[in-house]
Amino acid sequence: MDLTTSPEPGELADATELHRYAEALLVNLAAEGSPPELPPGVTDVPDYWLGPAVEALVLILSGRDALEPLALAAQLDERRTALFLCLALAVCGHGDRIHASWLGTAFGELAEDAPVTSGQRALWLAAARGAYGPVGKIFVLRKLDAVAVPPQDDQWLRALVSDVPAASGDSGVPGFSSPSGDSGLPAETAPPPPSLEPVPELAAVPEIQRSILASAQLRRLRERCEAITTSRAPGQISEVATGNIWPEAEPLAVLRSLVGQGGPEGPLSSLSAHLLHDVRPEADPHLAALALHVAAPAVKAAAESLLELVRQEPPDEVTVPVLSYQIKLRPEGPDQASMAAAEQRIVAECVPRRGRPWLAYVLLVLAVVVFGVGFVTSLPLAVVGLAVGAFGGFRLWQHRTQEHADVRFVQSRAGQLAEEAEKAVWALHEYARESHERARAAEEDLTELTRLLRRGPRAA
């Protein structure tokens, strides 16, 4: 049962003044940190826990003994009383005045297969922001640690890293879509390493791409965990303490619901959904520190998987487009069969089909005939024969020139293909040497990441 459930309408028939005072009390606590004056008889509502709870809160804030109203409120509804006092004292900046047992009573138990209630989340937020001091944070951490988080879930990896695009899927937190996938790697491409810059097509080879992306992912994961665990941002508890109201709406919303002024309950989320929400890059650093502490085994397992991808040896044989032709590359050089097939495609695609120069041959034969007849009968006819022969010779020369140009183009294109293929082979050799350095850097990233996770939630 959610602790924030309001009493039945009949139960509050004579509690209107109490509700008004409780609402004014919340406003004053959040804005000034002090309660308004308690009118006589306003808390005298029979069999209703809120009256003695409000009276106890006012007495606690004034430094007076509140044992009698506390006992009565706890007798009527112990859990709501504890939740009301814990949240009200936190909002006004006096969370250090709560009794340790109140937190346990108000918080209850967490379970992965049960939604986190609004009251539990509100206490979680208040404790993360330091409202109850180190003891409150330790209490929440123990509650979170008691629930096992799936260590093989790659959603932790995707939630922690900012530049991983989200896929369809609902994390259970309103307004938050959790990424999903089966690789744990970012869907975008990472910049190619220096060894592959001359031939960026090699970076698209699946085996090489996985290693490059895993290395970049592990580095970004380390940086994100470092940012969380080394944060020194102070917790903003209340306007009284810092000049800022609560950035989250949950604590005050839960209090309003407890005093009968809240609306209907919103959708509740699972524990994992809240934790995934809290480790996002834009999340509050105090919440992120607690969530990362709980998710540490899963994050470490994901980092180890990334390291295994980085450690994989470069492929012995790859097929990449070279000048738009698929060439198989090996350490000893480009595959000759694929090179020959590419050269045949160059001839087929770049050299137009040319027939024999029949027109030139016909013109030359005609020129001989006309010239012979003209030489015997008429000199002008012989000149015409010479002109026809010259035109036929020009056509034949033009055809031969085009054929020679085609041969030179094919030879140039084939030479360029061979040069680019050799360049790609040398890039593969450089990548193989560079991969050892990248593996060592990835091992250092994992070592540092493990050290950061062992430090615990320092930001908390």
Side-chain angles (χ1 to χ4, degrees):
M1 181 185 68
D2 192 351
L3 296 179
T4 63
T5 303
S6 299
E8 295 298 327
E11 186 181 353
L12 298 180
D14 54 351
T16 304
E17 292 299 324
L18 175 59
H19 285 169
R20 290 176 180 173
Y21 176 79
E23 185 178 8
L25 174 64
L26 295 181
V27 173
N28 278 44
L29 290 180
E32 302 175 5
S34 60
E37 184 179 352
L38 186 64
V42 72
T43 60
D44 297 336
V45 180
D47 300 325
Y48 185 26
W49 68 271
L50 183 59
V54 167
E55 184 180 354
L57 176 61
V58 173
L59 291 174
I60 291 173
L61 291 175
S62 62
R64 290 177 287 173
D65 181 31
L67 287 179
E68 184 177 347
L70 273 176
L72 178 57
Q75 181 181 359
L76 294 172
D77 196 323
E78 185 179 16
R79 300 186 71 183
R80 287 181 187 164
T81 298
L83 179 60
F84 174 78
L85 292 175
C86 288
L87 292 181
L89 289 170
V91 167
C92 67
H94 295 286
D96 57 339
R97 298 189 183 186
I98 70 168
H99 194 278
S101 63
W102 298 352
L103 272 179
T105 301
F107 201 90
E109 298 299 328
L110 287 174
E112 177 58 29
D113 57 351
V116 177
T117 67
S118 299
Q120 289 174 327
R121 181 61 173 173
L123 291 171
W124 182 349
L125 292 169
R129 287 191 162 273
Y132 309 119
V135 175
K137 295 173 189 174
I138 293 173
F139 169 82
V140 172
L141 279 175
R142 286 178 177 173
K143 288 291 185 179
L144 297 176
D145 283 337
V147 182
V149 175
Q152 70 278 9
D153 194 347
D154 67 344
Q155 287 184 329
W156 294 104
L157 182 62
R158 292 176 174 271
L160 275 163
V161 182
S162 60
D163 51 2
V164 178
S168 60
D170 188 5
S171 69
V173 175
F176 172 56
S177 293
S178 63
S180 63
D182 55 6
S183 66
L185 293 175
E188 83 285 357
T189 58
S195 60
L196 301 185
E197 287 180 356
V199 191
E201 294 84 1
L202 287 171
V205 175
E207 297 88 346
I208 295 177
Q209 186 184 54
R210 281 195 295 269
S211 178
I212 296 173
L213 290 179
S215 175
Q217 183 84 331
L218 184 55
R219 174 57 55 88
R220 291 195 293 269
L221 184 61
R222 168 190 169 177
E223 293 170 352
R224 174 70 181 132
C225 292
E226 186 173 14
I228 292 175
T229 56
T230 59
S231 173
R232 293 294 183 268
Q236 296 178 354
I237 300 172
S238 69
E239 189 177 58
V240 178
T242 65
N244 295 286
I245 62 173
W246 279 85
E248 300 93 355
E250 283 90 340
L252 285 173
V254 172
L255 283 171
R256 292 191 182 99
S257 180
L258 281 170
V259 301
Q261 300 296 327
E265 284 295 325
L268 303 179
S269 303
S270 67
L271 175 62
S272 292
H274 279 298
L275 293 173
L276 286 168
H277 179 271
D278 290 345
V279 297
R280 293 183 306 165
E282 63 271 21
D284 180 86
H286 306 87
L287 294 174
L290 297 182
L292 181 63
H293 173 75
V294 179
V299 174
K300 184 181 178 183
E304 291 172 345
S305 299
L306 292 175
L307 179 60
E308 290 303 316
L309 288 176
V310 179
R311 283 174 170 170
Q312 289 181 0
E313 293 293 329
D316 295 330
E317 181 180 285
V318 297
T319 300
V320 295
V322 179
L323 299 182
S324 301
Y325 303 104
Q326 295 296 322
I327 302 298
K328 188 179 296 184
L329 303 177
R330 297 191 180 95
E332 61 273 14
D335 177 65
Q336 295 305 311
S338 61
M339 289 290 291
E343 292 173 358
Q344 292 177 359
R345 286 189 57 192
I346 291 175
V347 174
E349 296 173 359
C350 301
V351 178
R353 298 179 64 87
R354 305 183 189 278
R356 299 184 65 82
W358 295 113
L359 178 60
Y361 294 154
V362 170
L363 291 174
L364 289 175
V365 172
L366 181 62
V368 171
V369 173
V370 172
F371 178 78
V373 173
F375 184 77
V376 174
T377 60
S378 172
L379 185 59
L381 188 59
V383 174
V384 171
L386 289 175
V388 172
F391 182 69
F394 170 75
R395 294 287 297 181
L396 183 61
W397 171 83
Q398 189 179 45
H399 182 82
R400 299 299 185 192
T401 301
Q402 290 173 340
E403 287 182 337
H404 292 158
D406 292 339
V407 172
R408 287 193 298 271
F409 177 80
V410 170
Q411 291 175 342
S412 173
R413 188 72 170 171
Q416 186 180 4
L417 178 68
E419 181 180 348
E420 293 295 326
E422 288 294 335
K423 184 192 297 184
V425 171
W426 282 109
L428 277 178
H429 286 293
E430 290 297 322
Y431 171 78
R433 284 191 288 269
E434 191 181 69
S435 63
H436 297 291
E437 295 295 330
R438 187 165 50 255
R440 280 195 291 269
E443 292 171 356
E444 294 176 1
D445 288 336
L446 178 61
T447 301
E448 177 64 15
L449 177 65
T450 303
R451 186 184 69 82
L452 292 172
L453 294 176
R454 287 175 178 172
R455 290 173 62 184
R458 295 291 296 274

